[in-house]
Amino acid sequence: MPRRPPRKPDATLDLSSHLLLLESLPDPFDPTGVFPRPGPVELEVGSGKGLFLSSASAAGSERNFLGVEIAVGYARLCAGKLAAGGRDNARIIQGDAGFLVRSLLPDACLAGMHVYFPDPWWKARHRKRRVLSEPFLVHAGRVLKPGAVLHVWTDVEEYFTEAMAAARATGLFAAARGEEAGEPAHDLDYRTHFERRTRLAGLPVWRAALERTAEPSAVRRVMS
Ligand SMILES: C[S@@+](CC[C@H](N)C(=O)[O-])C[C@H]1O[C@@H](n2cnc3c(N)ncnc32)[C@H](O)[C@@H]1O
């Protein structure tokens, strides 16, 4: 589905606390260090318009939420929403999630990961750009704490099947559990904007929760 350019955030908003640039992050990057309050950190990959980050960080959540979004306009839009909502437990990084997860995040630093409606990259020559590749999933297993859950939702069955097989091949996750979405109570009561769009169009969504089971030694074995 074609995407319209994102709205610009209100020019009077100060985005400096909520918008981080990947290129300015230290290596390694401790994600707990960017939040004023200590607490488990969950990462959302490809935050788009930021509905998940806004709703997950609302309602007095004691968890901290970090998004990573490659498109500058969407990252700024998310940061604007978080700043306007006064969310001190949510931040967005503008940059490539693959680089962040593979190269900057230390072992076992995350309490959860969310990948909702990742770009399917339909053309065969573009497939290597898919975020949910086996090397990415090995690093997802590395950065998640044992017991933490990786949530994968998509409207592309073939991508879902391929991602589940890649996750199984890492040996780092328990068998996928299905996830259910309830009936929305209001117009924005969806996990993300793409989930809203897909369900309103009457199309199916594939959802899974993958629990990270292996100990760090198993991660090292997979990566060696
Ligand atoms: C199909 S949209 C889904 C957005 C949102 N998750 C939702 O469900 O509404 C995919 C998003 O992932 C972002 N994206 C694609 N590749 C990325 C990457 N390597 N790192 C970070 N974000 C990425 C895109 O810019 C886009 O905003």
Side-chain angles (χ1 to χ4, degrees):
M1 285 186 266
R3 267 177 254 168
R4 271 185 248 131
R7 269 187 299 113
K8 292 208 165 97
D10 177 348
T12 61
L13 282 172
D14 175 8
L15 304 185
S16 59
S17 298
H18 292 88
L19 180 64
L20 312 171
L21 302 182
L22 187 76
E23 66 212 29
S24 308
L25 299 180
D27 177 6
F29 167 63
D30 170 10
T32 57
V34 297
F35 296 100
R37 279 198 305 274
V41 178
E42 301 195 17
L43 177 73
E44 185 194 24
V45 168
S47 300
K49 293 184 183 174
L51 179 57
F52 170 73
L53 285 181
S54 301
S55 31
S57 61
S61 171
E62 286 175 8
R63 300 199 149 221
N64 291 314
F65 293 90
L66 186 61
V68 55
E69 168 55 55
I70 203 162
V72 176
Y74 284 109
R76 293 183 62 80
L77 177 67
C78 286
K81 286 182 181 173
L82 301 175
R87 301 290 205 286
D88 58 4
N89 60 339
R91 300 282 184 268
I92 180 96
I93 298 170
Q94 189 274 310
D96 175 25
F99 184 76
L100 174 73
V101 171
R102 282 195 310 271
S103 304
L104 296 188
L105 291 178
D107 294 357
C109 64
L110 296 178
M113 191 182 290
H114 305 259
V115 187
Y116 299 124
F117 299 82
D119 285 331
W121 295 110
W122 292 111
K123 290 186 182 159
R125 69 175 187 280
H126 292 159
R127 284 292 165 89
K128 57 180 179 298
R129 297 184 193 169
R130 285 185 170 181
V131 167
L132 290 172
S133 63
E134 192 176 326
F136 176 89
L137 288 162
V138 167
H139 280 278
R142 178 183 67 77
V143 301
L144 286 167
K145 297 175 194 291
V149 172
L150 165 65
H151 304 265
V152 175
W153 294 18
T154 174
D155 55 344
V156 182
E157 184 178 14
E158 170 267 320
Y159 191 0
F160 181 76
T161 306
E162 189 183 282
M164 292 304 108
R168 261 196 311 279
T170 68
L172 302 175
F173 297 95
R177 298 191 308 267
E179 289 199 297
E180 294 298 323
E183 280 311 303
H186 55 78
D187 189 45
L188 280 181
D189 190 16
Y190 293 90
R191 189 66 64 98
T192 69
H193 279 95
F194 263 70
E195 195 219 359
R196 177 180 181 278
R197 197 152 100 170
T198 307
R199 287 179 63 190
L200 290 180
L203 299 170
V205 176
W206 284 267
R207 303 178 179 86
L210 298 153
E211 188 179 324
R212 164 65 168 80
T213 53
E215 292 307 312
S217 57
V219 179
R220 278 195 293 277
R221 241 185 355 260
V222 170
M223 294 178 72
S224 61

